[in-house]
Amino acid sequence: KTIKARLDNQKAFNISFSNGQGSYTTFFAEKPKQLIEKLKGHKKLLLEVNVHRQGPFVIEFNLDEFEKNLEPVKKSCKF
């Protein structure tokens, strides 16, 4: 699956995701480290997803403290 994304007011780009297994609707970024690097230094992330029978829906994420909150993840994942 691919969804459209935008950082702040920059040009939109696509993010590729793989479906999780089982009955849960879970998606995993195909290149997580590259995505994390791309998110650094930005204020907001907008994702456009197609909701079944409702069409496109935009979700906004505040990235103000993204890098600070990323530190424990980096330590645990050793990257």
Side-chain angles (χ1 to χ4, degrees):
K1 292 193 176 237
T2 303
I3 61 171
K4 192 178 290 186
R6 182 183 307 271
L7 291 167
D8 302 325
N9 293 321
Q10 293 184 348
K11 183 180 175 184
F13 61 96
N14 291 325
I15 302 175
S16 296
F17 286 87
S18 300
N19 288 345
Q21 294 182 354
S23 60
Y24 298 100
T25 306
T26 306
F27 300 97
F28 300 94
E30 291 183 353
K31 297 179 181 177
K33 288 182 182 180
Q34 287 178 322
L35 178 58
I36 288 169
E37 287 301 317
K38 198 168 199 166
L39 297 177
K40 289 180 178 180
H42 292 281
K43 298 272 184 213
K44 70 178 176 182
L45 168 66
L46 299 170
L47 298 178
E48 182 181 279
V49 296
N50 282 312
V51 178
H52 181 66
R53 295 186 182 172
Q54 295 180 16
F57 185 75
V58 177
I59 304 167
E60 183 174 333
F61 295 91
N62 180 336
L63 298 177
D64 282 341
E65 296 191 20
F66 176 74
E67 290 184 60
K68 177 184 137 191
N69 292 315
L70 183 62
E71 287 307 313
V73 176
K74 287 173 66 175
K75 210 178 227 183
S76 294
C77 296
K78 295 177 175 57
F79 77 87

